Amino acid sequence: MVALAPASRAAALAALPAAELDLLVIGGGITGAGIARDAALRGLSVALLEAVDFAAGTSSRSSKLIHGGVRYLQQGDIGLVREAASERARIRRIAPHLAVPILMVMPTYGRAMHLKLGAGLWSFEKIASVEADERHVMWDRAEALAQEPCLADTGLHGAAAFVEYLTDDARLVFATVAGASAAGALCANHAEVTAVEHGVVTVRDTVGNEAIEARARVVVNAAGPWVEEIWRRSGTRGARGLQLTKGIHLVLDHPRLPLRHAVVMQARDRRSVFAVPRDGITYLGTTDTLFGSPELYPGIETDDVEYLLDAANRTFAGSPLAQRDVLASWAGLRPLLREEGKAPSEISRKDEIATDPATGMISIAGGKLTTYRRMAERVVDLVFARLGRRAPRCTTDEVALPGGESTTLDATTLAKRLPQLTGVEAGRLFRLHGAACERIVARTVEDAAAGEVVAGLAGVLRAEIEHALDEEMALTLEDLLDRRTRSLSFDRQQGLAGVEAAAAIAAARLGWSAARTAAEVQAYRTLAESLRSFA
Ligand SMILES: Cc1cc2nc3c(=O)[nH]c(=O)nc-3n(C[C@H](O)[C@H](O)[C@H](O)COP(=O)(O)OP(=O)(O)OC[C@H]3O[C@@H](n4cnc5c(N)ncnc54)[C@H](O)[C@@H]3O)c2cc1C
């Protein structure tokens, strides 16, 4: 059975009541997905349950960078620098399409800043053992302006250019869930854990509207911003509460800010923020402000928007950016561990694993996309200890993620096989799917209609939509256009021009009624609108 086919979801939910699970993981973000894959690869019987959709929480709202760890050097955390740098290399090994090296340009203002930054990067590269071809270069003023003509020249001394990796967070989650499923884990989205009591987990299938009970020897709470809510539902007392902080991103048309490279900008409070070009848009991010109770779509305030636009307007030449230039936005919540008296950006990003002595639940919070694999390894080691079994060696740094297998395909060869796509569009498809593009191309060979671009969705083939529905467990229009094709964030019109066409394909495949189809379209339109209007 295809790893993430809708039928595999149905089979997973049907198998749950009788399954003798070693481990049940709550939450299908990168943390839960990573744990499920590692545990399944090490031979445990595992279930992974996600209330909404895989990656629906923070793991589709990040800045989409696999950090080398330069920033941790600024905080003096050498251990984290080494971990981030080695994990970055491992992600590139197991899924090269999801860790694409890009040049990050950091402008310098004044000689002292230029020298200090150069020395900092030199130390970072020593500590992180950065390969020679990925070491930084320092540009003088003329070179900086030639390489990145958008930079404002006022006060500019030069720039440092260093390598960071760009990922697609939601796609990293799907690849990881698909890997977990292929290794035998029972995986289901739209399956909310409503209660946990003495190892009995009550699950609500929100599609079939059914309650299911599962039993597991160990339960891991990887619910990100909702970790505390799971404590409430299970009578667990967490040692330390969560402190959520919100980070927003703004999407601009690329011609409005036509960057060649990602650029580090200094905000008015001296925090570093980014501008990243990607697939015909440029996005700005991110803020770091305290946030209360978790929400799936945290609201974005005008102040947040002005903060990022102001940083861009200080850094770049050209007519000043204004709110009317913002095509779309996304906001995510960092599930950080509470540290009293600290400002949001001072709270540690380190992960923490805690076991409640009364309920036995293992909870994990904090951390980064970048270090998810190591976090998972530590949690799975602990699960083996709890089971009283010797932990086999973790192999998640060796086994390719689905889509990360070696392939002769790349963006250029893909563009030749799919001449209906532009080079940029073929590049987008390859970065989202990697070697799995073969399966999408195969659909276009079998059925000419599948090779057509969906009306209104630039660069999205019907075959890509069919693949998402048949092989990636997309069950709603939002699953499809937000997290699978990424149109909600990266299409210039948020996918709205193609929403009816995409809904028609989904309706035919998933058996939606006319009323359900209309409701899906309306819900998507309302969501897209909310991401363009700020309080
Ligand atoms: C603005 C921002 C920018 C960031 N940028 C970067 C970056 O560039 N690089 C980087 O490495 N890291 C970055 N991070 C950090 C990274 O995104 C997070 O550490 C990571 O995504 C957290 O993943 P998670 O799985 O723990 O949480 P989530 O992704 O939120 O997953 C938790 C899941 O649990 C589910 N859930 C909740 N309740 C239940 C229930 N009752 N039953 C079942 N499931 C449930 C939710 O629906 C959700 O999908 C960023 C974070 C933010 C907020």
Side-chain angles (χ1 to χ4, degrees):
M1 193 185 301
V2 173
L4 295 187
S8 85
R9 176 182 181 276
L13 291 175
L16 271 184
E20 297 210 357
L21 296 172
D22 295 314
L23 170 65
L24 187 145
V25 183
I26 305 171
I30 193 60
T31 308
I35 294 165
R37 174 173 181 259
D38 187 346
L41 282 172
R42 290 204 240 175
L44 294 183
S45 81
V46 183
L48 172 67
L49 299 174
E50 163 54 48
V52 185
D53 182 21
F54 301 121
T58 306
S59 299
S60 58
R61 323 287 180 77
S62 78
S63 301
K64 307 180 200 322
L65 296 167
I66 301 293
H67 296 294
V70 183
R71 55 169 50 195
Y72 307 128
L73 189 65
Q74 285 166 345
Q75 296 159 5
D77 196 333
I78 305 291
L80 213 48
V81 173
R82 288 216 174 92
E83 180 165 281
S86 56
E87 281 309 304
R88 165 172 101 156
R90 289 185 175 119
I91 296 177
R92 181 144 175 83
R93 194 159 65 225
I94 60 172
H97 64 296
L98 290 169
V100 177
I102 56 162
L103 216 49
M104 178 75 80
V105 175
M106 187 157 177
T108 55
Y109 303 96
R111 188 161 180 271
M113 180 184 179
H114 196 78
L115 293 177
K116 192 171 164 206
L117 182 59
L121 286 168
W122 185 87
S123 313
F124 161 71
E125 286 161 1
K126 280 265 169 237
I127 293 165
S129 307
V130 173
E131 299 286 338
D133 60 346
E134 291 198 354
R135 294 201 187 127
H136 78 284
V137 286
M138 300 301 294
W139 293 332
D140 63 16
R141 186 171 188 275
E143 182 72 8
L145 289 168
Q147 295 278 357
E148 192 46 82
C150 290
L151 287 176
D153 58 3
T154 321
L156 187 72
H157 182 87
F162 54 95
V163 173
E164 281 281 36
Y165 289 7
L166 191 62
T167 192
D168 187 284
D169 45 10
R171 304 295 322 182
L172 183 63
V173 175
F174 298 134
T176 309
V177 178
S181 176
L186 302 174
C187 301
N189 56 0
H190 300 280
E192 180 184 358
V193 170
T194 53
V196 185
E197 212 174 337
H198 306 302
V200 179
V201 180
T202 310
V203 186
R204 196 166 67 90
D205 167 5
T206 56
V207 177
N209 209 13
E210 264 185 291
I212 300 164
E213 278 193 354
R215 278 161 193 75
R217 293 182 185 94
V218 180
V219 176
V220 167
N221 174 0
W226 293 271
V227 157
E228 285 185 326
E229 177 58 33
I230 299 295
W231 289 343
R232 273 188 285 278
R233 292 180 186 191
S234 59
T236 299
R237 288 159 58 101
R240 254 166 88 194
L242 281 196
Q243 175 64 71
L244 303 182
T245 78
K246 182 179 72 171
I248 73 145
H249 299 81
L250 303 177
V251 177
L252 311 167
D253 202 5
H254 185 255
R256 190 65 187 85
L257 185 55
L259 296 182
R260 291 183 186 170
H261 307 290
V263 175
V264 183
M265 310 178 290
Q266 204 170 72
R268 55 181 169 231
D269 57 358
R270 303 184 71 80
R271 279 184 63 245
S272 292
V273 293
F274 309 98
V276 182
R278 171 179 161 165
D279 304 333
I281 60 110
T282 301
Y283 65 86
L284 311 178
T286 180
T287 53
D288 202 358
T289 51
L290 294 178
F291 198 80
S293 306
E295 288 172 24
L296 206 50
Y297 286 95
I300 293 184
E301 277 118 42
T302 310
D303 281 355
D304 298 329
V305 176
E306 290 302 329
Y307 174 88
L308 287 181
L309 293 178
D310 174 71
N313 288 332
R314 289 153 180 264
T315 313
F316 302 115
S319 67
L321 295 163
Q323 268 199 47
R324 62 177 172 280
D325 294 308
V326 178
L327 302 180
S329 66
W330 73 86
L333 298 175
R334 299 176 188 84
L336 306 176
L337 290 142
R338 193 177 290 284
E339 293 182 47
E340 294 304 338
K342 285 205 172 171
S345 55
E346 288 166 2
I347 304 174
S348 168
R349 267 60 180 158
K350 266 192 196 149
D351 58 282
E352 197 158 303
I353 302 165
T355 307
D356 181 66
T359 64
M361 177 180 275
I362 299 175
S363 300
I364 173 149
K368 303 287 291 176
L369 214 56
T370 307
T371 48
Y372 86 94
R373 206 203 54 80
R374 275 290 292 149
M375 283 161 56
E377 188 178 342
R378 285 195 285 266
V379 172
V380 175
D381 285 346
L382 185 59
V383 171
F384 271 99
R386 285 280 312 288
L387 291 170
R389 285 159 60 176
R390 207 170 66 81
R393 196 171 61 84
C394 168
T395 56
T396 51
D397 59 341
E398 294 165 7
V399 181
L401 286 175
E405 304 87 354
S406 91
T407 172
T408 51
L409 214 56
D410 60 16
T412 316
T413 49
L414 190 61
K416 286 197 185 110
R417 289 173 71 183
L418 297 172
Q420 62 276 50
L421 298 184
T422 64
V424 170
E425 289 167 351
R428 165 197 165 275
L429 191 62
F430 188 74
R431 280 205 325 280
L432 295 188
H433 294 275
C437 281
E438 288 288 6
R439 302 168 72 86
I440 294 174
V441 173
R443 285 177 183 268
T444 71
V445 175
E446 279 159 26
D447 172 15
E452 289 166 14
V453 173
V454 178
L457 289 182
V460 178
L461 300 178
R462 188 184 170 95
E464 185 185 342
I465 301 278
E466 292 178 355
H467 177 81
L469 295 163
D470 298 350
E471 303 188 33
E472 296 185 330
M473 232 184 252
L475 294 179
T476 70
L477 212 47
E478 185 191 315
D479 294 354
L480 188 61
L481 296 180
D482 180 2
R483 292 171 287 272
R484 304 302 184 285
T485 66
R486 315 284 359 226
S487 308
L488 184 65
S489 301
F490 297 116
D491 177 275
R492 280 198 195 86
Q493 293 167 284
Q494 298 178 289
L496 286 168
V499 68
E500 303 270 4
I505 303 170
R509 277 190 134 68
L510 298 176
W512 291 346
S513 65
R516 166 82 193 269
T517 311
E520 288 280 337
V521 169
Q522 191 47 50
Y524 185 79
R525 287 206 173 113
T526 307
L527 172 62
E529 161 66 27
S530 75
L531 300 175
R532 266 179 289 127
S533 40
F534 310 112

